[in-house]
Amino acid sequence: MQRILLIEDDKGISDMVAEYLLNEEFTVEQAFDGDSALRYFKEDTFDLVLLDIMIPFLDGMQVMKEIRRNSVVPILIISARDSESDKAMGLGFGADDYITKPFSLVE
């Protein structure tokens, strides 16, 4: 079973995405801030990271930089920030794709 680390500070969005992924038979670990996200990542193995960049404590870009120091796990940024420069920065720091909010769960 594939394991996904979902990093999203909005509990409603996080729960909605997690529920959808669980119904699709993924295992999901939810983190609501950058510190806990890195702690979960260091303690376990994940097949995919879904990462909001506007999270408390360590922001998503800092989390991604830390993950990229030791891992090539696929990272998908999910963010309300939709400017070309935000997308370019996220992809430049190592994200594999960038999805803007609002988004379809099927997407």
Side-chain angles (χ1 to χ4, degrees), residues 4-8 13-19 21 28-32 37 40 46 48-52 78:
I4 297 175
L5 177 56
L6 172 58
I7 308 164
E8 166 64 62
I13 293 172
S14 184
D15 287 346
M16 178 184 63
V17 172
E19 182 179 343
L21 293 170
V28 179
E29 185 72 49
Q30 292 174 270
F32 300 99
Y40 289 137
F46 295 94
L48 174 67
V49 175
L50 298 176
L51 174 63
D52 183 7
I78 301 174

Side-chain angles (χ1 to χ4, degrees), residues 46-50 67-68 71-76 94-97:
F46 295 94
D47 300 296
L48 174 67
V49 175
L50 298 176
I67 289 173
R68 283 291 176 245
S71 177
V72 294
V73 64
I75 299 173
L76 300 180
D96 293 281
D97 205 351

Side-chain angles (χ1 to χ4, degrees), residues 17-35:
V17 172
E19 182 179 343
Y20 180 84
L21 293 170
L22 290 168
N23 287 335
E24 295 295 319
E25 300 187 5
F26 292 98
T27 300
V28 179
E29 185 72 49
Q30 292 174 270
F32 300 99
D33 62 71
D35 291 339

